Amino acid sequence: MTDEKAQQERAAQLRKPTGENGIATAEWMNQGNRQMNLDTIKVLQATEGDTILEIGMGNGFFVTDILSQHNSITYTGCDFSELMITESEKINEAWIAKGLAKFFLADVASLPFANNTFNKIFTVNTIYFWDNAIAVLHEIKRVLTTGGICIIALRPKHQAEKYEFTKYGFTLYSKEDLTELLTANGFNVIKTIENKEPDLEVNGEIFPMENLIVAAKKI
């Protein structure tokens, strides 16, 4: 496989994990994005009575970090990868049995939930793949309660563009891009956090890492 083909394959797996490579990709994401997920969960501040939706939860590895905060929190994950639904249900079997976690196969631009269902919605490293970001934000706003919080976490454009695979099917955003997108589509940005992370080694190359987390309230 040529290097270009390998980068295209990686991009495709990051977008929608499938097959054995998909399982490995999800595990790789858990490791490489661990700090980003934990930083996002910190901003989420899951608390008593929260109804939480995560868009694109991968294999659901971090669900326990949310539900362990209080026994009245309910979590819903949605993804358009059948493999990630299967893996999430395996990993979170105990939470599902308690009725606290559910997973749905869904397109983010057409969420299978009633209006005003969740008071908190978050997503980590999925915004790059939204074919129509305005339509997605419309759906998020629809299923979010009035005054509910939407949290989007990503690698900022100036970092993500350093990776070869982001040339293939990724839309990259700066802090300013994301703030403008949210503001123009019915959200009030209430918090913008830029976090430094430990360096990451990829194929022998060291990358300085950071993440961007933007929290916005439904107007």
Side-chain angles (χ1 to χ4, degrees):
M1 183 182 293
T2 65
D3 183 62
E4 182 177 5
K5 287 288 187 183
Q7 297 297 346
Q8 289 176 335
E9 168 65 15
R10 173 169 284 187
Q13 286 289 355
L14 290 170
R15 181 184 183 93
K16 187 178 183 180
T18 57
E20 290 185 10
N21 286 344
I23 292 174
T25 296
E27 293 172 351
W28 180 77
M29 287 191 292
N30 290 341
Q31 181 180 4
N33 298 324
R34 180 178 183 277
Q35 190 59 53
M36 180 189 250
N37 275 279
L38 295 179
D39 287 342
T40 304
I41 290 168
K42 184 177 179 180
V43 175
L44 184 68
Q45 294 183 323
T47 190
E48 183 177 357
D50 276 347
T51 53
I52 296 171
L53 171 66
E54 180 175 8
I55 294 169
M57 71 285 148
N59 66 9
F61 182 80
F62 296 96
V63 172
T64 291
D65 293 275
I66 297 169
L67 290 178
S68 60
Q69 298 300 309
H70 196 275
N71 61 12
S72 67
I73 297 168
T74 58
Y75 169 97
T76 300
C78 70
D79 205 294
F80 77 151
S81 165
E82 292 184 27
L83 176 64
M84 291 299 96
I85 298 298
T86 300
E87 291 298 301
S88 293
E89 289 177 342
K90 288 179 185 176
I91 289 174
N92 295 286
E93 184 178 3
W95 292 117
I96 294 170
K98 292 178 181 178
L100 299 179
K102 296 179 181 178
F103 298 92
F104 292 86
L105 185 67
D107 181 341
V108 68
S110 183
L111 295 170
F113 310 114
N115 296 352
N116 308 307
T117 299
F118 306 98
N119 74 311
K120 292 178 181 177
I121 298 176
F122 77 104
T123 187
V124 178
N125 274 345
T126 72
I127 189 172
Y128 327 111
F129 309 121
W130 298 354
D131 294 327
N132 185 336
I134 292 174
V136 173
L137 288 176
H138 182 271
E139 274 294 271
I140 290 174
K141 188 177 178 184
R142 180 183 67 78
V143 302
L144 193 61
T145 58
T146 300
I149 302 297
C150 172
I151 300 168
I152 298 175
L154 67 158
R155 301 290 179 198
K157 183 176 182 178
H158 65 265
Q159 178 182 333
E161 63 188 2
K162 296 176 184 177
Y163 305 137
E164 285 296 317
F165 56 80
T166 61
K167 296 176 182 177
Y168 306 102
F170 282 64
T171 300
L172 305 181
Y173 293 84
S174 66
K175 175 176 67 175
E176 292 76 18
D177 293 335
L178 183 51
T179 299
E180 182 178 344
L181 178 66
L182 286 163
T183 302
N185 287 281
F187 291 89
N188 178 30
V189 174
I190 57 175
K191 188 178 294 185
T192 302
I193 303 171
E194 296 169 283
N195 295 303
K196 297 292 184 182
E197 299 183 19
D199 293 346
L200 180 68
E201 182 179 346
V202 179
N203 298 326
E205 187 174 357
I206 302 298
F207 289 89
M209 300 296 290
E210 59 186 286
N211 64 63
L212 169 65
I213 302 172
V214 178
K217 182 177 289 188
K218 173 181 173 178
I219 298 173

